[in-house]
Amino acid sequence: MQKSGSWLQLCPTALARFCSRGVGSTSSDTGPVSSFKDKPRTVEDLPHVSFSEMFYRMIFQGFYNRVHELQIYEKRLYGPIYRDGLKSVSVNTPKLLEEIMRINDKFPSRGDMSMWKEYRDMRGFGYGPFTEEGEKWYNLRMVLNKRMLHPKDSVQYGDIINDVVTDFTKRVYYLRQCSPTGDLVTDIANEFYCFSLEGISSILFETRLGCLEKEIPAGTQDFINAIAQMFSNTLAVSLTPKWARQILPYWGRYIAGWEGIFSFAKVLIDKKMEVIQQRVDNHQDVEGEYLTYLLSRTQMSLPDVYGSVTELLLAGVDTTSNTLSWTLHLLSTHPQIQDRLYKEVSMLVPAERIPSAAEVTQMPYLKAVIKEALRMYPVVPINARVMTEKEVTIGGYQFPKNTPFLLCHYAISHDEDTFSEPFTFKPERWLRDGRERPHPFGSIPFGFGVRGCVGRRIAELEMYMVLFRLIRLFEIKPDPTMGELKCISRTVLIPDQPVNLHFVDRGCENTA
Ligand code: HEM
């Protein structure tokens, strides 16, 4: 079995839990170790899980695609900190998460990314922000941060995103019309995949792909499917020994997924570069565009541009789209919350006007709704850190340098000591209206620190803008023919069935 490290392929190690020594308590942040008071506590003193026990749990207890639930299950069994069969240390409380995240390694690492690197090495592509490490990663992030991370950078994309949102609302009208009831949109997640892809591509390439047209371009759907294929096979591949790759089907599917992802991205990058070259040849201005910036203002080689831009495209699709699907589902099943949100959006911006980026980021309830959806359904339910510089003390235990830590975000954002009724949708928890705010590390869906999500501001802007417009135009209602919606882990958290929703027109089409 391979060592796991990527934030996206962490699930396997996260699964490797079954106590073989000691049982913890969920109410403590330091675990069951009071008898070790006199000597420094080490990793050896933690409850731990063996590989075979993990395997049993995944395959026979059905946690294979519910690794987020396994976090909560194991927290009850082993307490806030424990060790798995692969010698990773899992933590599942906000306090321990904070201790880890506040250790200031200069080049924070999520651990071994070899599974992701392998495809890039095979095909000669460079590494992007996910896969790169050390100083090279740092330099790359400095380049990417400049045009993405600061709120004022993302606000400059407001108009582009608004155009994409306008096309999305038109598509919703079209899809409703095609439905037997006149207001139903089926599989909203797939619609949001197209929306997110259109959004991130229009930022990276200043080119509209046409994903929101009546007929979705074939390549687009292939790209979306390729991402799903890569993610769906990640866990199986990381559990498969290398010698079994040619026997079992997962490796082939995983690599085919990457082929689809990179070939789609490469076509877009090559096309854009041709346009830039033509403009240069004609002595026209090429300043200001994202790819131009990467190519001309930085030392990036072409293979590195392929690597980075592809990783940005990939990261920009599943994340915002699934969060939006969960948000609409939650609003459809909580009409009072939806009403309150509708009041906010209709009061703060006049009905005939499309809100600006600056306006949507000033809406406390809108932001609280998204934050709460991300708390309940953190699209990245598990993450990792490896401290490479020095030994560290976490939860009173000493760990040598290079100890991998698994950050169980799903369990943390459902921590009962931090969130009352953790499985209930309560956006008001996040309002700054004088009430006590939850622990700052109770829900950090975008990660933390210099290695945190580079697309955070763009993602937030996209989500605020599209949610604003949808809620102002439509009352969202659940489809009563759907069964109970649960989430499954396909590396990212996704709904276990297509989400269908009724979009009931509120009668203010002019704002579309
Ligand atoms: C709801 C939307 C999103 C969520 C919840 C999310 C979440 C995350 C998380 C948890 C990480 C790991 C951070 C850490 O280790 O501390 C991450 C990293 C990353 N995200 Fe996002 N993300 C979202 C949208 C986006 C978008 C739209 C983009 C692209 C523009 C993007 C690009 C990236 C990249 C490139 C990294 C790797 C950063 C690095 O290692 O330096 N993400 N994201």
Side-chain angles (χ1 to χ4, degrees), residues 153-200:
D153 294 328
S154 60
V155 162
Q156 66 175 306
Y157 300 120
D159 290 346
I160 298 178
I161 297 174
N162 254 333
D163 286 348
V164 176
V165 172
T166 298
D167 287 353
F168 185 73
T169 57
K170 285 182 186 155
R171 182 160 170 87
V172 170
Y173 276 114
Y174 166 71
L175 293 169
R176 289 165 76 246
Q177 265 172 21
C178 302
S179 79
T181 56
D183 63 5
L184 186 70
V185 177
T186 54
D187 197 359
I188 192 72
N190 203 53
E191 300 306 324
F192 279 134
Y193 287 138
C194 295
F195 165 75
S196 305
L197 177 57
E198 191 74 31
I200 190 67

Side-chain angles (χ1 to χ4, degrees), residues 436-489:
E436 200 187 332
R437 301 253 303 163
H439 190 293
F441 285 77
S443 176
I444 51 163
F446 294 96
F448 183 79
V450 286
R451 190 110 213 194
C453 176
V454 72
R456 172 179 186 164
R457 299 298 171 198
I458 286 174
E460 285 176 337
L461 197 60
E462 280 181 353
M463 295 190 292
Y464 298 158
M465 287 185 134
V466 75
L467 183 59
F468 178 105
R469 302 268 291 279
L470 287 176
I471 289 300
R472 197 161 69 173
L473 288 173
F474 305 107
E475 188 183 348
I476 315 290
K477 295 196 165 178
D479 171 11
T481 63
M482 275 179 59
E484 189 198 346
L485 193 66
K486 295 193 179 136
C487 54
I488 52 172
S489 173

Side-chain angles (χ1 to χ4, degrees), residues 277-338:
Q277 190 56 52
Q278 272 170 13
R279 287 217 212 123
V280 172
D281 294 346
N282 296 333
H283 309 289
Q284 287 171 328
D285 188 15
V286 291
E287 285 295 305
E289 302 193 351
Y290 199 82
L291 212 61
T292 320
Y293 162 73
L294 289 186
L295 287 165
S296 62
R297 293 287 190 82
T298 72
Q299 301 297 312
M300 278 175 97
S301 66
L302 191 52
D304 286 346
V305 170
Y306 287 137
S308 281
V309 174
T310 306
E311 287 187 12
L312 288 172
L313 270 181
L314 164 68
V317 174
D318 268 37
T319 46
T320 40
S321 50
N322 280 303
T323 307
L324 285 165
S325 302
W326 289 120
T327 306
L328 286 198
H329 161 69
L330 286 164
L331 289 171
S332 75
T333 49
H334 295 78
Q336 285 169 339
I337 295 177
Q338 191 177 163

Side-chain angles (χ1 to χ4, degrees), residues 9 44 146 268 433 500:
Q9 49 144 30
E44 297 304 323
K146 257 191 202 142
L268 292 182
D433 56 0
N500 307 331

